[in-house]
Amino acid sequence: MTKSPLKLRPGIAEAPIYVPGAHGDKNAAIPPAVLSANENPLGPSPKAIAAYNDANHLHRYPDGGATELRQAIADHFGLNMERIVCGAGSDELITLLIRCYVGPGDEVLQTQHGFLMYGITAKTVGATPVLAPETPDLHADIDSLLAHVTDKTRICFVANPNNPTGTYIPGSELRRLREGLRDDILLVIDAAYSEYVDAPDYADGSDLVDDSENVVMLRTFSKLFGLAALRLGWCYAPEAVVDALNRVRSPFNVNAAAQAAGIAALGDQAHIKKSLTENAEQMKRLCGALSQLGLGFAPSVCNFVLIRFKDANTAKRALAHLADQGVIIRSVAGYGLANSLRATVGTATENDRLIAGLTDFMTKA
Ligand SMILES: *Cc1c(COP(=O)(O)O)cnc(C)c1O
């Protein structure tokens, strides 16, 4: 930390800075295949781009309550709009929830290889992240989470499905977790990839929100909807949590272009369907190629796959080898998975390059 006469709040100096997935050199002769941040390789709906371009009353403040957007989300997903709060990405909502319910000395519980932002944000308010080991096949382990609850636990975060593992647990397991937690512990179910999941026993967690006073579901427009640049997320929450979030958020936290593009994206069923179909096809193809190469991977229900190498050094060399060929995937050493790399499922052409790069690496390795 840089020296300063100012008194920083507890925890901030110790909080690591989040390192986003690399995006390579955009100006390279052959543009890189960017498979590092789980973005929709098809981009957003053309309707969302048009709505973004039309959002040009730049001197006017946006609707601070994001009323039309919340109504569109409620209609699309069959939810009550009064229980929806929008944010500048779901990352902002993670921060706001922690600000509402967590302070110095408190604990924030999550799974061992869960999304990094929960722990980083917990640290910024002087709280301690607690990691509950997962099952050997990288699934959230409810008994392990419950065993790590203490008097100081305030929030339990579960990404379902999880990033970077890509695995999910059934809705019944989430319900068992809620039943095992004290009432004064908030359960946050981060369903950033839920649109991709078609497993019959999966639940996004909205049913649990409806049935209790201490569950929040987080969602995002950054993944399937392809709007990562605009920063748009939302949560579905009990009345008291909605009230608290509306007090702490800044009054115009979601910009006008994001609101307009979000509404249009929800309205483009054809683009949603195409994105899901191509992802499913390409995921199948990619996993087939990984198996042929003798590479292990975690069973993914998302738009990315966690690839396992022999050891950490091999993973590191594979990452560099791919980068040399303009294929950018993600190191997950920061998640305690140094022997693995996470690759977003790209377009057919991008996946050709990924498979070619991996094949080349495995033949030489
Ligand atoms: C990408 C991601 C998010 C962040 O979404 P934003 O809305 O872009 O802030 C949240 N949670 C998980 C698990 C993610 O993978």
Side-chain angles (χ1 to χ4, degrees), residues 14-69:
E14 292 78 40
I17 292 176
Y18 182 77
V19 182
H23 276 68
D25 178 6
K26 269 196 306 217
N27 300 316
I30 302 165
V34 180
L35 303 174
S36 59
N38 301 344
E39 298 142 337
N40 183 337
L42 304 182
S45 151
K47 292 182 178 167
I49 297 173
Y52 169 82
N53 287 328
D54 285 347
N56 55 11
H57 295 281
L58 302 189
H59 58 308
R60 300 292 181 205
Y61 280 97
D63 171 11
T67 316
E68 278 182 51
L69 172 61

Side-chain angles (χ1 to χ4, degrees), residues 247-272:
R247 286 168 201 275
V248 298
R249 72 177 175 88
S250 64
F252 305 104
N253 60 329
V254 179
N255 71 73
Q259 292 186 36
I263 294 167
L266 290 171
D268 192 346
Q269 202 53 48
H271 187 75
I272 294 173

Side-chain angles (χ1 to χ4, degrees), residues 83-159:
R83 289 175 160 236
I84 294 169
V85 180
C86 295
S90 47
D91 278 337
E92 186 193 21
L93 295 164
I94 293 169
T95 304
L96 294 176
L97 287 166
I98 286 183
R99 227 181 111 197
C100 285
Y101 297 106
V102 184
D106 289 340
E107 289 176 2
V108 169
L109 180 58
Q110 67 169 95
T111 60
Q112 185 182 2
H113 307 297
F115 188 47
L116 278 181
M117 282 312 297
Y118 316 139
I120 292 178
T121 313
K123 283 191 177 172
T124 65
V125 299
T128 307
V130 174
L131 301 183
E134 296 178 12
T135 63
D137 61 354
L138 303 181
H139 286 71
D141 180 339
I142 301 309
D143 297 306
S144 154
L145 280 164
L146 291 174
H148 284 76
V149 170
T150 75
D151 292 350
K152 295 176 182 164
T153 310
R154 294 287 164 259
I155 300 186
C156 173
F157 281 97
V158 178

